[in-house]
Amino acid sequence: MASVTEYFGCLSFDDSAMRARLPKDTYKSLKKTIDEGKSLDINVANIVANAMKDWAIEKGCTHYTHWFQPLTGVTAEKHDSFISPIGDGNIIMEFSGKELVRGESDASSFPSGGLRATFEARGYTAWDPTSYAFIKGKTLCIPTAFCSYGGEALDKKTPLLRSMDAINRQAKRILKLFDPNTDVACIRPSVGPEQEYFLVDETMYNRRKDLIFTGRTLLGARPPKTQEMEDHYFGSIKPRVEAYMQELDEELWKLGILAKTKHNEAAPAQHELAPIFTQVNISTDHNQLTMEIMQKVARKHGLVCLLHEKPFAGVAGSGKHNNWSLSTNTGINLLTPGETPYENAQFLLFLSAVIQAVDDYQDLLRVSVATAGNDHRLGALEAPPALVSIFLGDELTAILEALESGTHYDPLEKTQLKLGVHVLPKLPKDATDRNRTSPFAFTGNKFEFRMLGSSNSISDTNVVLNTAVAESLRQFADKLEAAADFDAALNNLIRETIRAHKRIIFNGNGYDDAWIQEATKERGLLNLRSTPDCMPYMLSVKNLKLFADHKVFTEAEVESRYEITLENYCKTIHIEAATMIDMVQKEVLPAVMAYTGKVCETGLAKKNFSAAMDTSYEEKLASRLTELTRLTDDGIRALEAAVTEVENIRNLTDKAFAYKEKICTRMESLRSYCDEAESLTAGSCWPFPTYADLLFGVR
């Protein structure tokens, strides 16, 4: 079998493939487009298209597709063959620069939030040359942006690329202030998204309508054990899961995706995959591919990969940790503190920019992860709270406090961990701990935003983060460029920024109720617990201005995403309610009634055998099951009536709040009756796999 180094990237038209197949002048021109954002010449596009086509056909491809990311949150593709007729029933395989650079797709059949009417169908896909083309099956996939006939962004990629341009412009202004002769041509955010997921047995999955239709369990009594023993996290990987992980790595590596780390996560049946950092738009493409391939490979092993944020109540949910940094094309990470961060003014300025951005736009960061599924996850069991704060650790916090007060900072002496065993190596102790309850934590040379849900596209969060930091840098550059004394102005700017935004810094336990009270009452931070709670902030004047000023979104594009998010929220809960009603009526109630009948039969048989026999157990059990049957039936009727009522609400914001307050609460009540009934019903009589079956069924 070939080694990883031999087959890595074999299905990606990456830099090595381009260098080998393109003329030198064409390769250099394309690299300028990729590295520096230079416009692409059509003659270059024609040469690239032909080379790309030849490469793909050699690998067995017959079709190509413009692969894009519409506002559904998943990917889309329309396949066209390379064939072109030449007469006499013969064909040749062709692919032009025009076909590479631009495609056409129906723009009215995807979510548009009012940007497109049904009769306004024309939309365009445009090649993103900074993200490598790749092969799936027999199809050449070309990463593209997707926009309407009027130029409105209808996808996740276009605003991400715009936000990258915004932060590049402003960050270069800052670097020129520190070094007017800098050779930095481009500054790009890099991201490494850690991906959590659950694996369940496929045969069990197929017997659960809730998992099939909604991705999460709507019913399920708590099993005797979940994650209390903390024995699954980093535990020995089961052979069936190990085989899945091995094939997943191989498939990702073929595509040039830098899958690096894999391990068991906190909950039973939960796992994680983490890649090496790449440029944020490439990382976004790779993460979408990773989620798709995770699910495909799982089926080959008789498994199903669950990417819902909270597939099981009462155990840890699945997140996606967005590790964000900012690097130059010369290889410098601008968020690296260095050995003496208290003397590194450039680092401290970029750090201050991030602090200000997170404080000023904490509402938008919360909006960027808003889904019905993530609302279930945030706030407990390995997930950060819905309230945004920044963890910096002791050393950086002390440095900023000294800068704010104008006092001398005494650097912490580097220490070594004393493990008490002579044979073990001496380990240097990090300057700061890690904080798993923090939504936004500095972790050495990057920030880790932990609020994303497992199924979220990382694009939304990084659009906000890039644009918000760009705005901080813009304000900083305006002030410093106008200053007569750069050093004095720089020191004052850092000090003023810390003083104005230190409320967002918190190094303690994010789950502590006292912190939530302090954050909201004393510091004035926002605690936006649900999607309906946070979405109105998206349309605030401040946020509309941010996106408009940096040309990331027009006001109409922001409004469209507001509408799409709330529509998705309402539809998600509507489907969950309909699924729950169906399961309870057709499976739960018949099973409970049948078992109640058996209990009654047993009690009658005992009485018939001997009037002296004690039947109190059967009588109490049958009585409680009968009462639960009545409560369940009443719960179904109440839920059905509420759904009908809520569906008649026209205002989308009002409808979303009604789904949260009226439908979700009734679903919780109905579930409580069903889960108690499950705990009282014989396992052989229960109609679908239980939590114990699902969480511990993969061996």
Side-chain angles (χ1 to χ4, degrees):
M1 182 178 175
S3 68
V4 177
T5 55
E6 291 176 307
Y7 70 77
F8 184 85
C10 66
L11 297 181
S12 173
F13 195 69
D14 58 15
D15 188 72
S16 61
M18 291 189 292
R19 195 184 312 112
R21 290 177 174 269
L22 296 175
K24 285 185 178 179
D25 289 346
T26 304
Y27 173 75
K28 287 180 180 178
S29 179
L30 182 59
K31 284 293 286 180
K32 279 190 172 292
T33 297
I34 294 171
D35 295 339
E36 300 175 25
K38 303 293 185 184
S39 60
L40 184 72
D41 184 88
I42 188 61
N43 294 320
V44 171
N46 281 323
I47 297 170
V48 173
N50 191 60
M52 198 182 283
K53 178 257 301 180
D54 290 344
W55 170 80
I57 289 173
E58 287 173 16
K59 293 183 177 292
C61 289
T62 56
H63 289 70
Y64 70 92
T65 182
H66 275 197
W67 181 84
F68 59 100
Q69 299 169 41
L71 298 174
T72 55
V74 293
T75 59
E77 51 198 63
K78 178 187 72 170
H79 296 197
D80 289 296
S81 72
F82 290 120
I83 66 170
S84 181
I86 57 173
D88 300 325
N90 294 314
I91 60 146
I92 59 172
M93 305 294 267
E94 285 188 331
F95 185 50
S96 69
K98 181 180 177 182
E99 290 169 315
L100 169 63
V101 170
R102 195 186 85 164
E104 186 172 330
S105 181
D106 187 340
S108 63
S109 298
F110 293 102
S112 72
L115 290 176
R116 296 266 84 190
T118 304
F119 65 89
E120 297 174 318
R122 192 182 298 277
Y124 298 110
T125 50
W127 177 37
D128 173 15
T130 64
S131 187
Y132 301 135
F134 58 91
I135 292 172
K136 283 201 306 177
K138 293 191 174 183
T139 302
L140 171 66
C141 298
I142 301 157
T144 58
F146 179 44
C147 65
S148 74
Y149 182 70
E152 299 96 347
L154 297 176
D155 67 340
K156 304 279 188 178
K157 170 160 285 200
T158 303
L160 181 60
L161 294 173
R162 292 172 181 170
S163 73
M164 291 169 65
D165 284 346
I167 198 168
N168 178 50
R169 285 193 302 271
Q170 305 306 331
K172 284 198 295 186
R173 291 176 66 193
I174 295 295
L175 290 193
K176 279 193 174 293
L177 288 165
F178 281 94
D179 179 7
N181 299 315
T182 179
D183 59 349
V184 170
C186 184
I187 298 164
R188 292 285 185 242
S190 295
V191 168
E194 303 169 34
Q195 178 71 56
E196 295 175 344
Y197 60 97
F198 280 83
L199 290 175
V200 298
D201 185 86
E202 186 176 19
T203 57
M204 295 184 190
Y205 170 90
N206 289 334
R207 292 174 55 202
R208 298 261 337 194
K209 291 180 183 176
D210 48 3
L211 287 179
I212 293 171
F213 294 135
T214 75
R216 76 180 183 101
T217 53
L218 303 172
L219 307 169
R222 185 176 178 83
K225 176 190 175 185
T226 56
Q227 62 192 72
E228 298 91 340
M229 300 303 293
E230 301 173 334
D231 54 346
H232 190 258
Y233 189 58
F234 279 24
S236 177
I237 300 173
K238 296 172 183 176
R240 193 172 168 194
V241 175
E242 173 63 26
Y244 161 76
M245 288 180 167
Q246 182 175 339
E247 184 172 352
L248 175 61
D249 277 341
E250 290 169 359
E251 293 302 312
L252 295 176
W253 289 337
K254 288 176 187 176
L255 290 163
I257 297 174
L258 295 162
K260 176 71 171 176
T261 303
K262 58 187 180 184
H263 60 83
N264 289 346
E265 253 299 333
Q270 189 185 31
H271 313 279
E272 181 178 298
L273 179 150
I276 296 172
F277 282 63
T278 50
Q279 186 173 293
V280 63
N281 64 313
I282 297 173
S283 184
T284 301
D285 288 355
H286 283 181
N287 185 249
Q288 291 293 140
L289 268 175
T290 296
M291 291 190 286
E292 179 184 330
I293 294 167
M294 284 172 124
Q295 293 173 313
K296 285 185 177 179
V297 172
R299 295 284 185 169
K300 293 171 66 175
H301 292 263
L303 302 167
V304 173
C305 175
L306 302 179
L307 293 174
H308 194 282
E309 287 73 22
K310 197 74 167 180
F312 302 100
V315 300
S318 291
K320 180 147 44 192
H321 304 158
N322 189 84
N323 294 283
W324 183 91
S325 64
L326 199 59
S327 301
T328 69
N329 65 303
T330 57
I332 304 300
N333 183 340
L334 298 174
L335 291 178
T336 297
E339 290 297 316
T340 55
Y342 51 92
E343 295 176 345
N344 189 339
Q346 181 175 286
F347 161 74
L348 291 171
L349 187 64
F350 277 96
L351 177 68
S352 299
V354 176
I355 293 170
Q356 175 175 298
V358 174
D359 188 19
D360 285 346
Y361 298 100
Q362 55 184 282
D363 50 355
L364 280 180
L365 284 169
R366 174 64 180 92
V367 165
S368 75
V369 300
T371 64
N374 212 20
D375 287 353
H376 293 290
R377 168 183 163 264
L378 293 175
L381 293 167
E382 309 296 324
L387 185 153
V388 177
S389 63
I390 294 178
F391 170 84
L392 292 180
D394 295 337
E395 182 179 31
L396 281 183
T397 301
I399 290 171
L400 296 186
E401 287 174 349
L403 287 170
E404 181 196 358
S405 62
T407 57
H408 176 71
Y409 172 73
D410 289 321
L412 298 174
E413 185 178 340
K414 298 292 183 183
T415 60
Q416 292 185 329
L417 292 174
K418 297 178 180 179
L419 302 179
V421 181
H422 293 299
V423 73
L424 296 178
K426 294 179 180 179
L427 301 177
K429 186 176 181 179
D430 288 320
T432 186
D433 203 345
R434 292 183 64 201
N435 189 327
R436 302 187 72 182
T437 70
S438 176
F440 202 90
F442 187 76
T443 55
N445 60 358
K446 63 187 184 300
F447 279 97
E448 181 183 28
F449 186 45
R450 299 173 57 90
M451 289 179 73
L452 285 80
S454 178
S455 64
N456 284 155
S457 165
I458 67 171
S459 172
D460 297 328
T461 281
N462 287 294
V463 167
V464 171
L465 191 51
N466 293 346
T467 312
V469 175
E471 173 60 17
S472 292
L473 295 174
R474 183 194 66 78
Q475 293 178 24
F476 290 0
D478 286 350
K479 291 177 181 178
L480 293 174
E481 286 170 351
D485 185 336
F486 173 74
D487 291 334
L490 175 63
N491 291 333
N492 287 334
L493 178 58
I494 293 173
R495 184 178 300 112
E496 290 168 2
T497 303
I498 297 164
R499 186 172 295 129
H501 300 284
K502 63 182 179 181
R503 66 172 186 165
I504 201 73
I505 300 170
F506 177 67
N507 293 333
N509 180 7
Y511 294 161
D512 193 339
D513 288 339
W515 157 240
I516 303 298
Q517 288 296 313
E518 177 189 334
T520 55
K521 304 296 184 185
E522 298 174 27
R523 301 197 186 193
L525 301 180
L526 298 169
N527 187 19
L528 305 172
R529 297 180 60 85
S530 74
T531 296
D533 291 327
C534 71
M535 285 310 297
Y537 287 87
M538 190 175 191
L539 301 180
S540 72
V541 173
K542 165 182 71 81
N543 294 335
L544 291 173
K545 186 176 186 305
L546 171 74
F547 290 129
D549 285 350
H550 292 277
K551 297 180 172 56
V552 172
F553 285 123
T554 65
E555 185 171 337
E557 287 171 337
V558 176
E559 290 172 349
S560 73
R561 281 147 180 82
Y562 172 83
E563 184 173 322
I564 289 167
T565 301
L566 286 185
E567 275 188 350
N568 184 273
Y569 177 86
C570 294
K571 288 175 180 177
T572 297
I573 298 176
H574 182 88
I575 292 168
E576 290 180 349
T579 302
M580 176 178 258
I581 290 168
D582 186 76
M583 288 179 70
V584 174
Q585 283 184 326
K586 295 179 180 178
E587 297 180 90
V588 173
L589 282 177
V592 175
M593 288 188 292
Y595 183 63
T596 303
K598 289 184 179 182
V599 172
C600 292
E601 287 175 6
T602 300
L604 285 172
K606 287 169 71 174
K607 280 189 175 181
N608 289 336
F609 182 79
S610 171
M613 292 190 75
D614 183 5
T615 59
S616 60
Y617 171 74
E618 288 82 1
E619 290 171 9
K620 285 188 291 185
L621 180 57
S623 176
R624 183 55 185 163
L625 288 171
T626 300
E627 177 65 8
L628 287 171
T629 300
R630 182 188 67 77
L631 291 170
T632 299
D633 182 60
D634 289 346
I636 291 173
R637 305 298 156 236
L639 181 56
E640 287 177 325
V643 169
T644 301
E645 176 190 345
V646 171
E647 275 298 290
N648 288 326
I649 298 174
R650 300 208 168 196
N651 180 276
L652 189 56
T653 306
D654 293 343
K655 179 182 279 193
F657 274 105
Y659 263 107
K660 183 189 81 164
E661 294 162 1
K662 295 185 177 182
I663 306 303
C664 290
T665 52
R666 283 170 174 79
M667 288 176 67
E668 290 172 6
S669 178
L670 178 56
R671 174 175 184 155
S672 68
Y673 306 140
C674 295
D675 289 357
E676 184 182 348
E678 178 188 337
S679 68
L680 297 174
T681 301
S684 59
C685 297
W686 198 247
F688 39 74
T690 65
Y691 267 31
D693 298 326
L694 291 164
L695 290 170
F696 298 95
V698 178
R699 297 182 176 85

